[in-house]
Amino acid sequence: MEQLAIFGGTPVRQRPIGYGRQCIEQDDIDAVVETLKSDYLTCGPKITEVEQKLCQITGARYAVVVSNGTAALHVAAMAAGFGEGDEVIVSSITFAASSNCVLYCGAKPVFADIRPDTYNIDPDSIRKLITPKTRAVIAVDFTGQAVELDEIKAICKEHELLLIEDAAHSIGTRYKGQPVGSIADMTCFSFHPVKTVTGGEGGAITTNDEALYRRLLRLRAHGITRNRDEMEHPTDARWYYEQVELGYNYRMTDFQAALLISQLNKLSKFSARRKEIVKKYDEAFSQMPELVVQREIPESDTTRHLYILRLNLEKLGCDRRQFFDALYAENTCPQVHYLPVYWHPYYERSGYEKGLCPNAEKFYCEVMSIPLYYALTDDEVEDVIRAVKKIVEYYRV
Ligand SMILES: *Cc1c(COP(=O)(O)O)cnc(C)c1O
């Protein structure tokens, strides 16, 4: 840690600034406490209420909340009918859950490369990977920026593929004015505390398709139905329910739903503050040739979940590791999003080789995510910018 001698010490804070953090206010706490005192801790009215709220925000006809974003992806993959012998095209720069859901179903993830400037899945890469076995595309709105939905939807339509949008980063984002959540066949959200709004844990799937909706509801609860139309041995007995397929217990609790409703009510203020911070960073970093600023497509009005600091390594006498450690010594804790999924040993062992997605691999070696969250103060933003400048000036070649 040679940098520690050069970098560090300023500013002194009680705790270092991390890359993301939830914002919980008194009304969020009150909403949870009130629900804890109510009749229902699970399967109660808050579930219906939060699902209605999600429909309202996204413009989708149906919403199903589940225990976390990974569960949302899992039931979406099951509802899509993925199975042995199927291939599903997935973004290569994402959290592993985006492609693990394909593996849960016994199907094969096929990794598409990213665009070098937006960092989102490249539609040309999708086209090249389509085979007769391809069933669907899972496109991730990386950092919160919407993927090129028009073009990807056109590809899916032409080849009869289902489009699942992993919107774990992108609640609040609009594509051509339309909210994320109402555009793909199914859109999956995560409400982990690091994301823009949180339920502690939590996830959701939105869709406009009634058949998918019915299936998602069943899969959330063991594959059990109380709906007579879905039964094999229907009866009007009040106690009766049937398990018609194999599902899971992926339910959300009512107190999580209460927290989530309270947080969703603040989405526009969360979104506005995130946009302000992104603007400050963009303005500061676009003036430094040693750094690369993420390109935003004009169609996306983005609520950014992550801010990617990308190094132009030709103009810096250091590597990403040295820069990361220097920033860490400056009391800012960055993180790297993400290792190309197929570089994880579990995937490597299945035969995915390095070199598969050159843009994704280059991206990984040049990036780190710096603090971006609602409660970040202007002073803290300035501190981060000052620290980045100091390191850039030190390593500039
Ligand atoms: C967070 C995240 C998930 C998983 O969500 P959990 O709620 O943590 O299970 C999936 N995909 C992406 C892109 C994510 O960032």
Side-chain angles (χ1 to χ4, degrees), residues 68-70 73 94-95 97-98 140 166 168-169 190 192 195 202 338:
N68 55 64
T70 305
L73 285 160
T94 184
F95 185 55
S98 310
V140 182
D166 180 342
H169 297 183
S190 163
H192 180 279
K195 310 288 160 74
Y338 293 96

Side-chain angles (χ1 to χ4, degrees), residues 78-194:
M78 288 179 77
F82 300 162
E84 202 117 342
D86 293 337
E87 293 178 355
V88 179
I89 298 173
V90 187
S91 305
S92 48
I93 292 293
T94 184
F95 185 55
S98 310
S99 67
N100 286 345
C101 68
V102 178
L103 295 178
Y104 294 159
C105 297
K108 184 186 172 197
V110 176
F111 293 100
D113 208 351
I114 57 167
R115 288 230 193 253
D117 53 358
T118 67
Y119 318 149
N120 262 337
I121 194 166
D122 183 347
D124 291 329
S125 177
I126 296 176
R127 266 191 211 95
K128 286 184 197 139
L129 295 170
I130 292 171
T131 73
K133 293 179 177 171
T134 309
R135 292 286 311 277
V137 174
I138 300 179
V140 182
D141 297 328
F142 179 64
T143 73
Q145 174 169 210
V147 292
E148 291 160 69
L149 281 157
D150 277 353
E151 193 169 349
I152 296 171
K153 274 176 79 169
I155 296 169
C156 288
K157 192 170 178 199
E158 185 188 337
H159 298 273
E160 295 178 25
L161 310 176
L162 210 74
L163 176 59
I164 298 176
E165 191 174 352
D166 180 342
H169 297 183
S170 61
I171 190 147
T173 291
R174 288 169 178 269
Y175 178 84
K176 289 189 167 175
Q178 196 179 341
V180 156
S182 57
I183 306 171
D185 294 302
M186 285 183 275
T187 306
C188 297
F189 295 95
S190 163
F191 307 115
H192 180 279
V194 88

Side-chain angles (χ1 to χ4, degrees), residues 201-243:
E201 293 274 1
I205 313 94
T206 56
T207 183
N208 288 329
D209 184 304
E210 190 182 348
L212 288 173
Y213 170 63
R214 297 266 156 235
R215 186 99 198 268
L216 291 166
L217 282 179
R218 277 205 312 260
L219 291 167
R220 169 173 76 182
H222 312 278
I224 283 174
T225 183
R226 287 177 177 277
N227 184 341
R228 248 191 280 174
D229 303 338
E230 295 173 20
M231 289 182 181
E232 286 181 26
H233 311 295
T235 141
D236 57 3
R238 280 171 182 267
W239 71 83
Y240 191 73
Y241 58 81
E242 269 184 8
Q243 184 189 338

Side-chain angles (χ1 to χ4, degrees), residues 250-317:
Y250 279 163
R251 292 188 303 260
M252 177 186 275
T253 66
D254 273 55
F255 46 99
Q256 288 173 303
L259 176 56
L260 187 52
I261 292 163
S262 180
Q263 291 263 302
L264 287 168
N265 286 333
K266 303 173 190 192
L267 180 57
S268 51
K269 85 168 184 184
F270 287 170
S271 173
R273 179 60 184 154
R274 283 174 177 270
K275 285 179 184 177
E276 261 172 30
I277 299 169
V278 167
K279 192 154 170 266
K280 284 177 197 283
Y281 282 150
D282 278 352
E283 276 167 12
F285 302 148
S286 58
Q287 290 163 27
M288 295 182 225
E290 296 81 6
L291 303 174
V292 180
V293 170
Q294 181 177 1
R295 185 172 79 87
E296 176 110 355
I297 58 169
E299 294 84 354
S300 181
D301 174 4
T302 305
T303 296
R304 202 80 77 79
H305 157 58
L306 294 175
Y307 191 91
I308 306 289
L309 186 74
R310 185 168 191 180
L311 309 178
N312 180 346
L313 291 174
E314 283 173 13
K315 294 193 186 299
L316 287 165

